Amino acid sequence: MTGKHAFILAVRLCATGHFFVPQEPMTGEPMKRQLIWLRSDLRIDDNSALAAAAVKGPVIAVFLRSIPQWQAHGHGANKLDFWARGVAAVKTALNGLNIPLLHRDIERYDQAPEVLLEIALEYDVEQLHFNHEYALNERHRDQAVQDAFKQAGITAHGYHDAIAFAPGSLLTGKGDYYGVFTPFSKAWHKQVSADQLALRATPQVQAALDIQSDLLPELPKLDSSPIDGQLWPAGENAAADNLARFLRFRGRHYNAQRDLPKVRGTSELSPYLALGMISHRQCLQAVMSENGGHLADGDIGLTTWVNELVWREFYQHVAVGFPQVCRYQPFQEHTKQLAWRDDDEGFQAWCEGRTGYPIVDAAMRQLVNTGWMHNRLRMITAMFLSKHLLIDWRRGEAFFMRHLIDGEFCANNGGWQWAASTGTDAAPYFRIFNPTTQSTRFDADGEFIAHWLPELAKLPAKARHAPPQDLLSDVEYPAPIVDHKAARQRALEA
C-alpha cells in the first residue's frame, strides 16, 4: 500500500464515524454503460459522479477541452498547463480501473450537448453523470446538456460534489442566499451532516471494455509559457501528499503562520481544490482525524483552516444566488457609481512590480514567477490597485486569473470584490491597508522582500519596507508612484 493510499485509508477509518459511502451491491441484471463527464474534478477517489456511475454499470469517461472558451474566461498558460497535466494524471488512474478516457476538443461550451450526445449514442450509454460547477456560463452549459439528453431519452445526473450544501439549500431565515460570510459559516457548521462529509467510494476495477483511451493532445501554442511544472506537480497523488504534509507539519500552526509570506505556513492546496484533484470532504475528514472528530472546535490552527474551506463554498453559493457577480458587476449595487481612474501607466507598474512599495512589488513578482501568491499578499496587492490607484478591480481580477495556477472564478472574484469594498463581507470603504504597515507587521525582517526584490537585499532589514531615497543612490528601484496619505484621501472621497 502506498503512503498516499494508507493516508486516505486512515482518513476513511477515522474514529469520528464519518466513514466512506460504500458502493451498492451489484444485481444479477445486465449492467448498461455509464458515461462520466470529467471537468474540474480530476480524481478517482471521493468523486460523487464517478462513484454513482460505477454502481450502475461499466464506466466510460470523457473530458471536453475548451481552450478558446477557457481563455475567454481569463485562464492563462499556468492554469491550462496544470489542467492538461491533471487530465493526464487522472487518465493513468482511470486506466488502472479499466475505465477508458475519451478526449474531445470543442471551441465553445454550446458545443458540449452535441458532442456528449454523439458519444453517448455511439457507445450505447444509458446515463450521463457529472459534478456541478457554479459559475453562470458553466451552469447554462450543464442545463443545455441535460435538456439535450432528456430530449434524446437519456438521463443526465448532476451531483453537488464540490460543496456540502446544494445552492438554495442553506438560506437565511428570510429564505434568501447569504450575502455575509459569518452567518453562512455558522449555519454551515450547525447543519452539516455526516452523510455530507462522508467520502464517496472509489470504483472497483471493472472488466475491460473494447474501447481504448484516446491519446491526449499537446496544448496548442499559448500567448505565454507556463511556469515550470515541477513547482506544482499535478494529480491526486500530489494533492494527497500536500494534504498529509500540511497536517503533519504546519496545520496546527496555521492560525499563527498563515499571514507570514516568508513562511511556508499555508496548505498550498488551492490549485488542487480548484481542479478537483482533491475534494473538500477529503480535507475535512483529514482534519477530523487530526482534531478528535471536530471541525469547529479543538485546535485553532486546524479550525481556522476549515474556515477557509467554508469560505470557498460560500463564494460558490454567492455565484448562484447573486449571478450579477458572474456578469462583471459588483455585488454591492450602489458601487456601480464609483468613478474608476484610467491609469494604464499605474496599472502596468502594478503588474510588473514597479510601484515603489516593496511588499506590493515582491508579491507581484511572486505571482508572475510562480503562478501563485500568498493570500495575505493577495489582499494587500488587490487593495493597493483598487484603492491606492483607484483602478477598476476588474482589471486586477483579470490579471490574477491570467497568471494564477489556482485561478477559480468564484474565489478570485470574491476576494477582489472584498478588497475593493464592492462585494460580500466587503471591507468597509474606509479600510485601506497601508502597504508599509502591512509589510512591517507580516514580513518584519524583510526576508520575503529581499527574496523577490534582490536589489533591496543589501539594505538594512528595517529599511526594506519603505526604502529612504538616500539609500537608493546605487540601487535601481523606483520611488513610490503614489503617496499613501494622498491616495487614501482620494479613495475615501471617491
Side-chain angles (χ1 to χ4, degrees), residues 365-445:
R365 295 190 193 182
Q366 180 188 43
L367 171 62
V368 171
N369 285 279
T370 71
W372 185 82
M373 187 192 288
H374 188 281
N375 190 58
R376 167 58 57 175
L377 302 180
R378 297 189 197 203
M379 292 189 283
I380 293 171
T381 55
M383 199 169 286
F384 185 88
L385 183 75
S386 60
K387 291 185 175 175
H388 279 76
L389 301 184
L390 212 60
I391 291 174
D392 195 327
W393 57 270
R394 283 162 285 217
R395 297 186 70 179
E397 177 193 20
F399 185 84
F400 269 31
M401 281 296 286
R402 190 158 65 250
H403 289 276
L404 285 172
I405 196 166
D406 64 358
E408 188 271 324
F409 171 78
C410 298
N412 189 48
N413 179 271
W416 269 94
Q417 293 221 44
W418 178 89
S421 298
T422 65
T424 66
D425 275 88
Y429 74 91
F430 51 81
R431 180 185 293 171
I432 302 173
F433 286 167
N434 182 327
T436 305
T437 302
Q438 292 282 308
S439 182
T440 56
R441 180 178 178 187
F442 297 115
D443 186 33
D445 53 10

Side-chain angles (χ1 to χ4, degrees), residues 54 117 252 398 451:
L117 199 51
R252 294 181 181 276
H451 178 79

Side-chain angles (χ1 to χ4, degrees), residues 79 82 232 242 268-277 312 371-372 405-407:
K79 174 74 175 288
F82 190 56
W232 297 99
N242 256 23
E268 299 176 0
L269 282 169
S270 54
Y272 302 98
L273 285 162
L275 285 180
M277 297 175 193
R312 291 184 68 87
W372 185 82
I405 196 166
D406 64 358

Side-chain angles (χ1 to χ4, degrees), residues 175-486:
D176 300 323
Y177 277 81
Y178 284 96
V180 179
F181 174 71
T182 298
F184 175 90
S185 177
K186 290 180 178 178
W188 190 96
H189 280 285
K190 182 178 180 180
Q191 297 182 40
V192 73
S193 69
D195 286 344
Q196 288 169 302
L197 300 180
L199 302 179
R200 283 50 173 155
T202 303
Q204 302 292 319
V205 178
Q206 67 184 26
L209 300 173
D210 57 348
I211 304 170
Q212 296 297 315
S213 290
D214 289 334
L215 293 175
L216 300 181
E218 296 290 328
L219 277 174
K221 186 174 181 180
L222 303 172
D223 58 1
S224 62
S225 298
I227 57 169
D228 184 353
Q230 293 184 350
L231 287 175
W232 297 99
E236 58 188 310
N237 288 343
D241 288 344
N242 256 23
L243 175 60
R245 283 196 302 271
F246 170 66
L247 292 178
R248 188 174 299 129
F249 301 113
R250 309 192 301 276
R252 294 181 181 276
H253 307 290
Y254 179 77
N255 186 59
Q257 296 184 346
R258 64 176 178 150
D259 283 320
L260 307 177
K262 73 169 185 177
V263 175
R264 193 180 181 185
T266 63
S267 72
E268 299 176 0
L269 282 169
S270 54
Y272 302 98
L273 285 162
L275 285 180
M277 297 175 193
I278 197 167
S279 74
H280 71 288
R281 290 180 299 272
Q282 288 171 309
C283 295
L284 295 171
Q285 286 282 359
V287 166
M288 289 191 291
S289 182
E290 289 281 326
N291 196 37
H294 299 288
L295 291 176
D297 304 306
D299 182 81
I300 190 171
L302 297 177
T303 57
T304 300
W305 186 60
V306 167
N307 227 33
E308 296 303 309
L309 296 174
V310 180
W311 265 106
R312 291 184 68 87
E313 175 157 348
F314 172 63
Y315 283 138
Q316 306 275 2
H317 285 246
V318 168
V320 178
F322 306 94
Q324 69 268 25
V325 302
C326 301
R327 297 189 177 104
Y328 304 103
Q329 296 300 313
F331 176 86
Q332 302 282 352
E333 179 76 17
H334 70 277
T335 61
K336 287 182 179 181
Q337 307 305 316
L338 266 169
W340 301 105
R341 295 176 60 246
D342 290 324
D343 181 3
D344 290 341
E345 187 175 332
F347 180 70
Q348 199 61 31
W350 178 83
C351 293
E352 296 174 2
R354 296 186 290 102
T355 68
Y357 284 86
I359 194 66
V360 174
D361 296 339
M364 296 304 293
R365 295 190 193 182
Q366 180 188 43
L367 171 62
V368 171
N369 285 279
T370 71
W372 185 82
M373 187 192 288
H374 188 281
N375 190 58
R376 167 58 57 175
L377 302 180
R378 297 189 197 203
M379 292 189 283
I380 293 171
T381 55
M383 199 169 286
F384 185 88
L385 183 75
S386 60
K387 291 185 175 175
H388 279 76
L389 301 184
L390 212 60
I391 291 174
D392 195 327
W393 57 270
R394 283 162 285 217
R395 297 186 70 179
E397 177 193 20
F399 185 84
F400 269 31
M401 281 296 286
R402 190 158 65 250
H403 289 276
L404 285 172
I405 196 166
D406 64 358
E408 188 271 324
F409 171 78
C410 298
N412 189 48
N413 179 271
W416 269 94
Q417 293 221 44
W418 178 89
S421 298
T422 65
T424 66
D425 275 88
Y429 74 91
F430 51 81
R431 180 185 293 171
I432 302 173
F433 286 167
N434 182 327
T436 305
T437 302
Q438 292 282 308
S439 182
T440 56
R441 180 178 178 187
F442 297 115
D443 186 33
D445 53 10
E447 284 189 26
F448 180 82
I449 290 172
H451 178 79
W452 289 107
L453 303 177
E455 61 268 37
L456 300 183
K458 293 183 179 180
L459 298 185
K462 292 188 181 301
R464 295 171 187 165
H465 306 289
Q469 289 302 303
D470 62 327
L471 294 181
L472 294 178
S473 56
D474 297 325
V475 177
E476 189 174 340
Y477 185 73
I481 62 174
V482 65
D483 174 74
H484 167 69
K485 185 176 181 180

